[in-house]
Amino acid sequence: MLIRLDHIGIAVQNIQDALVFFQDALGMELDHVALEEGGKTSVAFMPMGDGELELVQPLESESGLAKFLAKRGEGIHHICFEVDDMDAALARLVAHGAQLIDAKPRVNASGTRYAFIHPKSAHGVLIELYQRA
Amino acid sequence: MLIRLDHIGIAVQNIQDALVFFQDALGMELDHVALEEGGKTSVAFMPMGDGELELVQPLESESGLAKFLAKRGEGIHHICFEVDDMDAALARLVAHGAQLIDAKPRVNASGTRYAFIHPKSAHGVLIELYQRA
C-alpha cells in the first residue's frame, strides 16, 4: 500500500544556516528553496535517491512547526510516504485504532491530497501520507 | 558523495508492540528481526524502496539508545546515508567544522565501516554514514 519514502522533513531555525551543514559539509545537493503553505513555511528541497530531504523553516510563530521548534529544537520533524490509495490507507489505520490528525485528507494548491497520522499512534513519529494528484 | 538514504532508525520500547502499528495499521512489510551490536539491540528491518525503516529496541539500559528513549521517548533516532568514500566524507565534514561522534569509523561484525556525526553539528539530526565493505 505504501509506495515509497517521499521525504524526510527537518525543522530548522534558518535554512541558509542549515545549508552550511547539509550542502557544504555533508555534500548534499540543493534543488531549490520555495515558499510553501501560503508563505507560512520556507522549504529547501534536497534530492536523495527517489525521494528528498526537506529543510523546513517556519516564517510565522503560530504554526505547528514553530511550536515544535520552540519545544524540541531543531531536528527531524516528520517523514512522508507516498501511498497509491489514500482512502484505503486512512481506513486501514482507523480500523486498527490509529489516531489521525487529518481524518479527511487536506488538499494543497496543486491538488495533492495529504494527511498526517498523530505521533501518539505512531510511536513518536509524525507521519505524513500523500497521494499524487 | 552521498549515495542514498539507507535507513531511518526509530527508537521503540518494544518491537512487537511497534509492529502492531507499522505492520498491521500502516501496512509496511517486515523482512526480519535480528539481534545487533552483540545482542545489545533488537532490530526489525522493514524494506522501503531501496532503503529500509528500522525499529530499534535496546536490550540493555546503559546504551545510548536506552538513554535516548528515557530522555526523549519513542521516535526517530537517526538517519543513515550510504557513502562511497567514508574517509573523504569524514574529511569534508571536519574541514567544515562539523563535530563527529566517531573521528575514525567503527567496523561492525561484517566488516562494514560506519560513523556518526554529532547532532549538535547537524541541526539536531543524528546522522550515520556507512560504506559497504
Side-chain angles (χ1 to χ4, degrees), chain B residues 13 20 36-37 46 68 72 108 115 121 129:
Chain B
Q13 298 284 1
V20 172
E36 298 285 333
E37 298 184 272
M46 314 191 83
F68 174 94
R72 310 226 18 179
N108 72 11
S121 291
L129 303 179

Side-chain angles (χ1 to χ4, degrees), chain A:
Chain A
M1 187 180 290
L2 300 175
I3 295 180
R4 64 185 178 86
L5 178 76
D6 183 74
H7 66 262
I8 298 173
I10 298 177
V12 300
Q13 298 284 2
N14 182 289
I15 281 178
Q16 294 308 319
D17 288 347
L19 285 173
V20 172
F21 172 76
F22 287 98
Q23 190 176 26
D24 301 346
L26 192 57
M28 294 192 70
E29 288 181 26
L30 173 65
D31 189 77
H32 68 288
V33 179
L35 295 179
E36 297 286 332
E37 299 184 273
K40 295 180 182 173
T41 310
S42 180
V43 181
F45 295 90
M46 314 192 83
M48 183 183 63
D50 62 350
E52 58 196 2
L53 194 143
E54 296 183 4
L55 306 178
V56 291
Q57 174 191 339
L59 299 177
E60 59 166 44
S61 60
E62 291 306 306
S63 66
L65 181 62
K67 290 172 185 168
F68 174 94
L69 270 172
K71 184 177 177 186
R72 312 231 10 186
E74 294 185 316
I76 296 174
H77 178 256
H78 69 279
I79 57 177
C80 175
F81 294 103
E82 183 183 353
V83 295
D84 55 1
D85 186 335
M86 175 70 84
D87 296 324
L90 296 183
R92 178 177 179 146
L93 285 158
V94 169
H96 284 86
Q99 186 183 339
L100 305 178
I101 292 176
D102 304 297
K104 291 190 174 182
R106 289 186 254 181
V107 182
N108 74 11
S110 55
T112 302
R113 301 165 76 215
Y114 65 103
F116 284 90
I117 304 166
H118 201 292
K120 283 183 186 172
S121 291
H123 295 265
V125 183
L126 178 58
I127 297 176
E128 178 184 4
L129 303 179
Y130 100 100
Q131 183 178 356
R132 285 175 203 253

